[in-house]
Amino acid sequence: MLAVGLTGGIGSGKSTVADLLVARGAVLIDADRIARQVVAPGGAAYGPVVQRFGPAVVAADGTIDRPALAAVVFADPGALADLNAITHPAIGAVMTERRAAEEDTGHIVVLDVPLLTPAHRDLLGLDAVVVVDCDPALALRRLTSARGMDRADAEARMAAQVGRHERLQGADLVVANDGSLSELEDEVASAWESLEAMARSKGHGGSEEPMGGGD
């Protein structure tokens, strides 16, 4: 197995890159999806989140009202730190468990972590980090036009993330996403070739190993 961390700022197109890597044979472990699971009713972080933020963040059906919670935490750095302190250990535990299940395979396993830090290399046993990068002004336009996000909300979310320079400093591979989808596909193809080479040098065959259904 080759364990690869995938990260990028909000609006960078990281989810699209993740989908393109999966199409090439990668196994995806997605922190955002796991985050939704751990705050669902019965999840490890559900009770602590409700206890910390109160009934105002609980929807009528008993689930966490994510927009209401986001409105609180992205306006208050202290509240965001509290939320991260509750959810990150629970998310990390699930990601570690799913990564361990792939340990003896020849797969390229992509761990999609929006707030990936240097500590994740050791915590998740990463062999490489891929950063999806684009100009912040372009990311902001994507958030406000394509996603319909309020500009102030988008700017607050961008400001709450790891800075662009810091992300790039920790990159082994950079996927540029300032152009068209076709250009992004070319960038991903190049990154995939590099990841396959890393997998082979580690003693695995990358996508040449059985994947259960092939490419």
Side-chain angles (χ1 to χ4, degrees), residues 71-132:
V72 173
V73 301
F74 288 112
D76 181 351
L80 179 59
D82 288 346
L83 178 64
N84 289 342
I86 293 169
T87 58
H88 284 187
I91 295 167
V94 176
M95 295 193 80
T96 300
E97 179 182 352
R98 293 185 184 177
R99 181 205 180 283
E102 296 288 338
E103 188 66 50
D104 296 326
T105 72
H107 299 161
I108 294 175
V109 179
V110 174
L111 297 99
D112 184 339
V113 184
L115 300 178
L116 192 147
T117 67
H120 285 100
R121 280 191 181 265
D122 293 328
L123 179 66
L124 297 173
L126 300 179
D127 298 301
V129 171
V130 176
V131 172
V132 184

Side-chain angles (χ1 to χ4, degrees), residues 9-211:
I10 186 171
S12 66
K14 178 175 57 62
S15 295
T16 301
V17 170
D19 290 341
L20 291 170
L21 289 170
V22 168
R24 290 181 172 273
V27 173
L28 180 64
I29 301 175
D30 188 334
D32 278 341
R33 293 176 188 173
I34 294 170
R36 284 174 162 76
Q37 294 167 8
V38 300
V39 299
Y46 178 81
V49 167
V50 174
Q51 183 175 12
R52 165 62 181 84
F53 295 99
V57 301
V58 180
D61 63 358
T63 62
I64 296 296
D65 185 333
R66 293 176 64 85
L69 181 60
V72 173
V73 301
F74 288 112
D76 181 351
L80 179 59
D82 288 346
L83 178 64
N84 289 342
I86 293 169
T87 58
H88 284 187
I91 295 167
V94 176
M95 295 193 80
T96 300
E97 179 182 352
R98 293 185 184 177
R99 181 205 180 283
E102 296 288 338
E103 188 66 50
D104 296 326
T105 72
H107 299 161
I108 294 175
V109 179
V110 174
L111 297 99
D112 184 339
V113 184
L115 300 178
L116 192 147
T117 67
H120 285 100
R121 280 191 181 265
D122 293 328
L123 179 66
L124 297 173
L126 300 179
D127 298 301
V129 171
V130 176
V131 172
V132 184
D133 181 60
C134 74
D135 182 86
L138 175 58
L140 182 60
R141 288 198 298 273
R142 287 172 177 161
L143 294 172
T144 55
S145 60
R147 295 198 199 177
M149 191 177 290
D150 176 77
R151 183 182 180 89
D153 183 25
E155 289 176 337
R157 292 181 185 231
M158 291 175 71
Q161 293 194 324
V162 174
R164 184 185 189 189
H165 178 68
E166 185 178 348
R167 272 196 303 271
L168 291 172
Q169 277 191 317
D172 295 292
L173 296 169
V174 176
V175 172
N177 187 21
D178 290 299
S180 66
L181 178 59
S182 176
E183 290 170 324
L184 179 61
E185 289 172 342
D186 289 342
E187 286 279 315
V188 172
S190 177
W192 183 251
E193 288 180 4
S194 297
L195 294 176
E196 287 188 309
M198 291 180 193
R200 286 192 293 270
S201 69
K202 191 181 178 185
H204 298 311
S207 64
E208 295 172 4
E209 293 288 327
M211 293 291 293

